Amino acid sequence: MSLKPAAVKAAPGKPVTIMDVAKRAGVSKGLVSFALNDRPGVSPESRERILAAARELGWTPSLRARSLSTKRSFALGLVVGRTPEMLGADPFFPSFIAGVESVLAPEGRALVLSVVPDEEAELRTYRSLVADGRVDGVFLSDLRHNDPRIPLLMELGLPAVTLGRPEGLSPTEQNPSGRSPFPAVSIDDTLGITESVQYLAGLGHRRIAHVAGSASMLHGSRRRIAFDDAVRAAGLAECQTIETDFSIGAGAAATRRLLSQDEPPSAIVFANDPMAIAGLGVAHELGLTIPGDLSITGFDDINFARYVYPPLTTVRTTPAQWGQAAARTLLALMEHGSAPDLDLPAARLTVRGSAGAPVRSASGAASVAGSEPSR
Amino acid sequence: MSLKPAAVKAAPGKPVTIMDVAKRAGVSKGLVSFALNDRPGVSPESRERILAAARELGWTPSLRARSLSTKRSFALGLVVGRTPEMLGADPFFPSFIAGVESVLAPEGRALVLSVVPDEEAELRTYRSLVADGRVDGVFLSDLRHNDPRIPLLMELGLPAVTLGRPEGLSPTEQNPSGRSPFPAVSIDDTLGITESVQYLAGLGHRRIAHVAGSASMLHGSRRRIAFDDAVRAAGLAECQTIETDFSIGAGAAATRRLLSQDEPPSAIVFANDPMAIAGLGVAHELGLTIPGDLSITGFDDINFARYVYPPLTTVRTTPAQWGQAAARTLLALMEHGSAPDLDLPAARLTVRGSAGAPVRSASGAASVAGSEPSR
DNA sequence: TCGCAAGCCTGAACCGGTTTAGAGCTCTCA
DNA sequence: TGAGAGCTCTAAACCGGTTCAGGCTTGCGA
């Protein structure tokens, strides 16, 4: 009885099917299916015989056939609505995807990725993913106010997990409560902003500016609100906020604008690291010393943050863990029909060198023109 | 005759199938299939009637059923063998993927993405993608010497496109010529390195170092050879090369090592931008002025390059266009069974501020303090 | 007028699984 | 002893397309 190992598929002629296994085990193909999906109604002996036959033949059920009869695709989708530049600048997605993959791969699930430039293409993509039955569920990132994707996914009946808790959905006929029906996996990012402001205020900064992300994005406006709250709590005068689109270029432009004012801020809180790094560059270009003349904090703790000069004081997030948690939640949702919301540990401030005590504490900003103030 | 637009699927009950269309058009389902895939043997009238029926019912053929009977998946795969950190630091893949997507989406093809940490997982992933019939072809990036993926893909019979021309395959039984059977889409990256060295030499640099990528990667060793050649052509003494793994951290460490020598280089050519940016940080930290005390060039022209200080002189590559070209080539390969190699325009040097004339031309390292040379 | 080819079309097999109705058997309990 | 329950298992339908063998018309040349 030569038990050939699975690897020996020998004849490249025809792939082995469930029928081959059934014949070899001397049962019907239906029973093979039952055994494989370990469902009740198969005697232990038969089950063993069937599994052995499958092993010997090196048989794996055809995903395609399974897909057709079960109407599932065993794949999850991620649609990223960003321009290539925005995507490239921000390491969030690569890390997030790596986290997702680390959960999906062992489960035999694949990830279908789409990158689309605008909202119209984004919605169209969800529609076609569903129409083609490409995916069984999707990840929803970069939540926006009154996000059109949520009613769309409800309409399409596609399971989803949101990265963060959606808010500001206007109630619709289908969704009178205005609440998202999808589980949310969230990381509190307000604490990091709060800590940043507290830290800066504690160092003696009185004029702190905020280079915010797009207010149409939930995390953009949330961080902005956290900033305002923290500023108020710290008893600082009103502090300036500039809204951007989260892009590097916008971060540079905002920094330039802030620093060219009569009374420039002595510290800037950036809503993400790429903008903070651009801000660092602008400050250097203007001849400012960091953190002497200007303190800078970022958000995300991207890989670069540690290696720019001075190393960026920033808020550390963990996109890979977020990806893992989101993937697990989505799988659970699909398996049990529901899954609880999940809150990951809040993002905390990581202190490095880009923020420090201002050279002159409160009075006025150091003169900007010449690089060296007095000395 | 109410022609309901496709969008009106009304009854969410049962999805429309090819049978519904056949009935409505008064033909057999076989003929519908023929008409849809416009194959000969369908009269113009029938074809028109069938397409109209399909339109009226808003019918799209089921991808799953098509997959089962045609044994195709209408999806392409990309397996990225990088750690999350490496992936996140380098915007190559996001841009590349965006380019790929821009070609795939209109064709109704999807992209299946896998991120794996090591070579073993990488090879396993290709195997399971094929076993599951998830993809009809794959992109092969980050080519290595004697790349094990090439014989594997040949064995699996999976169409592929290589990013760059593979070399150094040892001949095997199946592949006695040792040549890759897959079309290659390449960008000459040696010109950029050559230009970098020429540019630096032209500015008066005599001691130019190279922080190279991993020599096990084809582009790593190719850039290194280009560097050596260019150095020789410029008549410079032997120049130092440090091999790294392309990571930011390694770039920083290499820079530190180079600059701590008795006779440090006056210019460093980095094999990618993340390392160059880290180099910039180290130089600043050591109190060096750039480009007065140290000139730096990078490779790739990532988004950050323009916004660091000083803006990075680097070699511009176009990953998105590479992605487009690779996707088109892969589609052509799958359609016609073969596709020609394609060479994209060579990457060229983009001059910004991070490289300049050394403060003191040849003799020794310049004094570090002042930033303005003479003017 | 017949034979034959070409064009159009149908019916059925097929892809490789899942699922369901029900057959056959054994066991239990009245 | 016989009805009914419970278990194991089979056969066949089904998912929704593609593909192929062959049937029916029609037209043309012999």
Side-chain angles (χ1 to χ4, degrees):
Chain A
M1 190 183 194
S2 75
L3 293 189
K4 295 197 176 176
V8 182
K9 273 205 199 164
K14 52 212 62 173
V16 355
T17 73
I18 196 173
M19 250 316 195
D20 302 323
V21 176
K23 278 185 199 138
R24 174 155 193 147
V27 297
S28 70
K29 66 174 187 166
L31 202 63
V32 175
S33 176
F34 273 51
L36 185 79
N37 301 307
D38 41 36
R39 291 161 49 141
V42 184
S43 72
E45 303 80 48
S46 299
R47 182 183 307 279
E48 190 40 58
R49 205 149 25 88
I50 290 169
L51 295 182
R55 216 177 309 122
E56 288 158 25
L57 294 175
W59 173 70
T60 321
S62 152
L63 193 75
R64 290 201 259 255
R66 243 142 87 83
S67 288
L68 179 59
S69 49
T70 62
K71 300 180 182 317
R72 295 190 297 155
S73 60
F74 306 96
L76 268 29
L78 175 60
V79 180
V80 178
R82 295 203 184 180
T83 60
E85 305 80 49
M86 290 284 302
L87 230 201
D90 187 346
F92 174 83
F93 278 104
S95 304
F96 177 80
I97 288 172
V100 166
E101 275 286 306
S102 69
V103 172
L104 259 40
E107 297 281 331
R109 251 81 167 190
L111 177 69
V112 172
L113 176 68
S114 289
V115 177
V116 295
D118 54 51
E119 183 171 286
E120 191 208 324
E122 192 178 22
L123 299 180
R124 201 172 44 223
T125 300
Y126 283 109
R127 288 207 129 87
S128 84
L129 283 178
V130 170
D132 289 348
R134 291 251 192 215
V135 300
D136 300 326
V138 291
F139 300 93
L140 229 57
S141 67
D142 284 341
L143 290 181
R144 307 191 282 272
H145 281 288
N146 200 16
D147 203 308
R149 294 173 295 176
I150 294 188
L152 174 65
L153 293 179
M154 292 175 67
E155 174 200 331
L156 295 174
L158 191 62
V161 160
T162 58
L163 269 46
R165 243 175 285 276
E167 293 163 25
L169 293 179
S170 37
T172 62
E173 198 172 330
Q174 296 152 39
N175 182 24
S177 75
R179 289 185 43 75
S180 159
F182 304 119
V185 177
S186 317
I187 292 185
D188 177 11
D189 52 358
T190 63
L191 177 60
I193 293 288
T194 308
E195 287 187 340
S196 299
V197 171
Q198 286 174 346
Y199 177 68
L200 291 170
L203 289 171
H205 291 276
R206 312 305 301 163
R207 304 184 61 85
I208 307 177
H210 181 41
V211 174
S214 165
S216 69
M217 314 270 267
L218 242 44
H219 59 299
S221 62
R222 200 169 48 225
R223 290 176 197 176
R224 176 174 187 156
I225 291 169
F227 176 80
D228 289 344
D229 288 351
V231 158
R232 211 168 301 122
L236 304 181
E238 87 288 13
C239 285
Q240 226 176 336
T241 291
I242 296 190
E243 182 180 330
T244 70
D245 61 1
F246 272 122
S247 73
I248 303 189
T255 309
R256 218 177 291 278
R257 199 166 120 209
L258 284 171
L259 297 180
S260 66
Q261 300 173 121
D262 287 345
E263 295 200 70
S266 66
I268 307 181
V269 171
F270 288 86
N272 73 2
D273 279 358
M275 294 198 294
I277 291 174
L280 226 48
V282 168
H284 277 137
E285 182 190 325
L286 295 176
L288 298 177
T289 302
I290 294 176
D293 299 324
L294 178 70
S295 284
I296 282 179
T297 70
F299 201 104
D300 274 345
D301 195 16
I302 68 175
N303 229 298
F304 276 112
R306 187 190 310 264
Y307 295 102
V308 293
Y309 183 79
L312 197 62
T313 290
T314 186
V315 177
R316 165 170 301 162
T317 59
T318 51
Q321 286 167 38
W322 209 355
Q324 286 184 6
R328 272 195 280 262
T329 297
L330 189 46
L331 290 178
L333 170 64
M334 289 174 352
E335 182 150 0
H336 309 117
S338 75
D341 284 4
L342 180 62
D343 286 286
L344 267 29
R348 307 294 302 262
L349 186 68
T350 297
V351 172
R352 297 210 184 90
S354 67
V359 174
R360 294 208 215 139
S361 57
S363 63
S367 81
V368 166
S371 55
E372 308 296 342
S374 57
R375 191 142 355 131
Chain B
M1 189 182 195
S2 75
L3 293 189
K4 294 197 177 176
V8 182
K9 274 206 200 166
K14 50 213 62 176
V16 356
T17 74
I18 197 172
M19 250 318 198
D20 302 323
V21 176
K23 278 186 199 135
R24 174 151 192 152
V27 297
S28 70
K29 67 174 187 166
L31 201 63
V32 175
S33 176
F34 273 50
L36 186 78
N37 301 308
D38 42 35
R39 291 161 49 140
V42 185
S43 72
E45 303 80 49
S46 299
R47 181 184 307 278
E48 190 40 57
R49 204 149 25 89
I50 291 169
L51 295 182
R55 216 178 309 123
E56 288 158 26
L57 294 173
W59 173 71
T60 321
S62 151
L63 194 74
R64 289 201 260 255
R66 244 143 85 82
S67 287
L68 179 58
S69 49
T70 63
K71 301 180 182 316
R72 295 191 296 155
S73 59
F74 306 95
L76 267 28
L78 175 60
V79 179
V80 178
R82 295 203 185 181
T83 59
E85 306 79 50
M86 290 283 304
L87 230 200
D90 187 347
F92 174 83
F93 278 105
S95 304
F96 178 80
I97 288 171
V100 166
E101 276 285 309
S102 69
V103 172
L104 259 41
E107 297 282 330
R109 250 81 169 191
L111 178 69
V112 172
L113 176 68
S114 289
V115 177
V116 295
D118 54 52
E119 184 172 284
E120 192 207 323
E122 192 179 22
L123 299 180
R124 202 172 43 224
T125 301
Y126 283 109
R127 287 207 130 87
S128 84
L129 284 178
V130 170
D132 289 349
R134 291 250 191 216
V135 299
D136 300 325
V138 293
F139 299 93
L140 229 58
S141 66
D142 284 341
L143 290 180
R144 308 190 281 273
H145 280 287
N146 201 18
D147 202 309
R149 293 172 296 175
I150 294 189
L152 174 64
L153 293 179
M154 291 175 67
E155 174 199 331
L156 295 173
L158 191 62
V161 161
T162 57
L163 270 46
R165 243 175 284 277
E167 294 163 25
L169 294 179
S170 37
T172 62
E173 199 173 329
Q174 296 152 39
N175 182 24
S177 74
R179 289 184 43 75
S180 159
F182 304 119
V185 177
S186 317
I187 292 184
D188 176 10
D189 53 358
T190 63
L191 178 60
I193 293 288
T194 306
E195 287 187 340
S196 299
V197 172
Q198 285 174 346
Y199 177 68
L200 291 169
L203 288 171
H205 291 277
R206 313 302 302 163
R207 304 184 61 84
I208 307 176
H210 181 42
V211 174
S214 166
S216 69
M217 314 269 267
L218 243 42
H219 60 299
S221 61
R222 202 170 44 226
R223 290 176 198 177
R224 175 173 188 157
I225 291 171
F227 176 80
D228 289 343
D229 289 349
V231 158
R232 212 167 302 123
L236 304 180
E238 87 285 14
C239 286
Q240 228 176 332
T241 292
I242 296 190
E243 183 180 329
T244 70
D245 62 1
F246 273 121
S247 73
I248 303 189
T255 309
R256 218 177 291 279
R257 199 166 120 209
L258 284 171
L259 296 180
S260 65
Q261 299 173 122
D262 286 345
E263 295 199 69
S266 64
I268 306 181
V269 172
F270 287 86
N272 74 2
D273 280 358
M275 294 198 295
I277 291 173
L280 226 48
V282 169
H284 277 137
E285 182 190 325
L286 295 177
L288 298 178
T289 303
I290 293 177
D293 300 322
L294 178 70
S295 284
I296 282 179
T297 70
F299 202 103
D300 275 345
D301 195 16
I302 68 175
N303 229 297
F304 277 111
R306 189 189 309 265
Y307 296 101
V308 294
Y309 183 79
L312 197 61
T313 290
T314 186
V315 176
R316 165 171 298 160
T317 58
T318 49
Q321 286 167 37
W322 209 355
Q324 288 185 5
R328 272 194 281 262
T329 296
L330 189 45
L331 290 178
L333 170 64
M334 289 172 354
E335 182 150 359
H336 309 116
S338 76
D341 284 5
L342 181 61
D343 286 286
L344 267 30
R348 305 295 303 262
L349 185 68
T350 296
V351 172
R352 298 210 184 89
S354 68
V359 174
R360 290 205 220 142
S361 57
S363 62
S367 80
V368 167
S371 60
E372 307 296 343
S374 57
R375 220 202 270 183

